[in-house]
Amino acid sequence: MSFLIPEKDWFKAPDKGERNWIAIGIVWCLIMSVMMPYWHVAGKQNSRGESYKVKPEDFSARVQKFVETNSVGKLGNIPIVQPNPGGHAYLMGGGYIWYPILKLKQGQKYTLHISSTDYQHGFSVQPINMNFQILPGYDHVLEITPTSTGEFNIVCNEFCGARHHVMTGKIIVE
Amino acid sequence: MSAIPGFLKGNFRSNESRTCDTTGLPVCNTASLFIQLHAVFAVVFLLVGAVAAILLALTRWPAVHLLPADWFYRVLTLHGVNMLLFWIIFLEVAIVYFASTSLLNSRLFSKGLAWAGFLLMVIGAVLVDYIILIGGADVLFTSYYPLPGHPFFYLGLILFAVGALLAMINFLLTLHIAKRDKTYEGSVPLVVFGATAAVIIAVLTIATGAAILIPTLLWAAGIVDIIDAGIYRVVWWGMGHVSQQINVTAMVSVWYFMFSLTTGAKPLNHAVCRGAFVLYILFINLASAHHLLVDPGVSTAWSIWNTSYAMYLAVLASMIHGFTVPAALEIAMRKKGYRQGVFGWLTNAPWGNPGFSSIFMSLVIFGFIGGITGVTIGTEQINIIVHNTLKLPAHFHGTVVGGTTLAFTGLAYYVVPLIFRREYYMKGLAKIQPYIFVVGILIVILGMQFAGSTGVPRRHWDVSFAGSPIPIPKMESGWLALVGVGGVIAFTGLLIFILLTVATVFFGRSNKGKPMESWGDVKDVSASAGAWTKEDEHKTPGTWALVSILLVSFVVYYFSNWKALADVWWVR
């Protein structure tokens, strides 16, 4: 009975069956442990957490400058902005919108800076389903290479207030 | 003196204890009172959480979309707090009070401390629920800084946590007086060892909770502004994740206890089982890092270290329990004579006993669904395609609902007849209740899992995105309808449990002075099954079959997620 006081000689080595299972468990845990560093070398999708401290008003100013320099059109009253391939791009979450709309080229690498001007947000690119956490005060830097073309939608998947569910954005890849 | 092996003279004061008419274990009357109080309030908060759950399921079912947006987030906050904290921790206090008294032949250390802890927990929980319902804290369970919550929301959580801490101290001091008064000889039972592990993790949780909730309370009250959104997440998850590890540890203890009670199972090797509990204590709290895998500000090395080294050692502990628990059951059943084939011990198990069926299904759901998905999505890179999608709640509804809640409801089918000393109403309905609940929760999990795989966000009122500043197409996910349908079934199952239990506790037929009516025993047919040799004590082909299926499922799910990850854009 496991709810009764055990016999005095309970401390003994496991028998073969348990030993084998523990060994299998350890081997599997080691395989999983190795997969993560391995993917940093061989894989193309990694989360490094690179980020820089930034005040929301400073980040907002960088976004405005980025929009003024690289704007190529509008969707409604939201600017569509095309960064230089290999260059920096900025995306601001706040006020229930991902601002601005980005226009990228397939196969080109961009250094994407994302931050929030108010609450925490979830940067979620659909339908490819890529997700990163965005925090106020942190410039989250992602080196991103779109590998497919089309219109991709950004939703917010971290609760950010009463109208969280209308927070959207767009990335157009040509 | 008692006939229980290992028990010496108890330290009860006069008229402070009775002997259980069913198990022969001593029952401390003070402990019994508080076990009853905590269990009743646990079920009250379970009801609050369950009503919230059905409202949420019916809102995320697009064809129904019941609640308005503000009430959806409010009820979501209510659901998380009541289920993850109030229901489970109230019941855990009942469990540890039971384990430290009846299983150690001891009285409860202090009645005053027990009252203080209980009242603080009740006041805190009621305050939190009141603030949520008046719209003072639409911040969800995680209350991520800088979402503004009413100061009393954090104050209520702190009061609840202090109350729980007092209960944990009462438990530890009861262990102390049992040892001091020599109420038993030898080592504590495995279930007490597991409960102690849970309490140690609980104390860590509460300490971390103080480290984050007190500054947040001061910030919400406008006194200081020292919090950083990233650091908030690191410390908050030290409480938020680790608190769920109290549940895992308590649940595993309940598995051992209930299999022992319903089938006479005993662990093959105490050292292995206890070693696995020690692994939980040492490593599980560092694993809370897996909530931050796609956060800014945390380095690759930090993430990998905490989720591989630390988390996988806790995973190993769960894999060990995942073997030793069914193995104990298999040996007990085989010894009773059920030796046909690989699974004869399982098919002849007491499936009509809700105290058995709940526990076995809890073991399977926790291992196959909660465990496999949790370890996989907690992998640094795989988290990119999972973070904050519905795949996440799919995982933890497999751990805390299909695992912990199911195990605790199974436990109740014995707590009520043994501690409240009343016989359940409508036993036929009680026997099928776990199955109804399990069917419902499995459908919910399936719906969330597949909706999440297509990117449907968690914590989201409307995936049609109507009224968005940048119009995007709505997410056509038929899987969300399953969340609704499964929610209705699971809610029905849970409501049957709550109504039967509440009715029984207050009005059920008393069984004082006689053993509880059996839910269905396992007949000993060993006389006709041939000799039982020493070698048979370690033969578990059925358990090996089960864990082999588990391992294969694990490997397939794990690598298919890597494959899915490889298909998304390049990012670093």
Side-chain angles (χ1 to χ4, degrees), chain A residues 25-46:
Chain A
I26 290 173
V27 169
W28 175 235
C29 289
L30 284 173
I31 292 173
M32 292 194 296
S33 298
V34 169
M35 274 306 288
M36 293 186 282
Y38 164 75
W39 201 261
H40 274 278
V41 179
K44 297 295 186 188
Q45 298 82 10
N46 285 290

Side-chain angles (χ1 to χ4, degrees), chain A residues 6-14, chain B residues 187 193 269-272 274-275:
Chain A
E7 288 150 15
K8 284 216 167 88
D9 62 342
W10 62 265
F11 193 87
K12 50 191 168 211
Chain B
S187 306
F193 192 89
N269 185 312
H270 275 269
V272 170
R274 287 168 199 239

Side-chain angles (χ1 to χ4, degrees), chain B residues 36 110 160 179 188 254 263 346 358 372 462 481 508-509 528 560:
Chain B
Q36 295 184 33
S110 164
F160 179 81
K179 181 100 185 150
V188 300
V254 168
T263 68
L346 197 54
S358 300
I372 290 179
D462 178 22
R509 180 163 44 84
S528 60
S560 61

Side-chain angles (χ1 to χ4, degrees), chain A residues 2 10 12 21 36 40 44-47 49 51 120 131 133 138 143 145 148 157-158 164-166 168, chain B residues 73 145 187 228 233 256 269 293-294 297 319 380-381 384 387-388 459 468 470 568-572:
Chain A
S2 55
W10 62 265
K12 50 191 168 211
W21 177 245
M36 293 186 282
H40 274 278
K44 297 295 186 188
Q45 298 82 10
N46 285 290
S47 164
S51 63
Q120 302 194 13
N131 309 280
Q133 188 77 19
Y138 287 75
E143 283 177 11
T145 309
S148 49
N157 66 10
E158 185 59 80
H164 153 63
H165 45 272
V166 304
T168 54
Chain B
Y73 297 120
Y145 176 87
S187 306
D228 169 276
R233 290 170 61 82
Y256 282 114
N269 185 312
L293 294 175
V294 293
M319 287 176 77
E380 194 203 17
Q381 294 92 343
I384 294 172
H387 183 67
N388 279 354
R459 299 179 155 186
S468 295
I470 300 172
V568 309
W569 291 356
W570 297 359
V571 62
R572 61 184 292 274

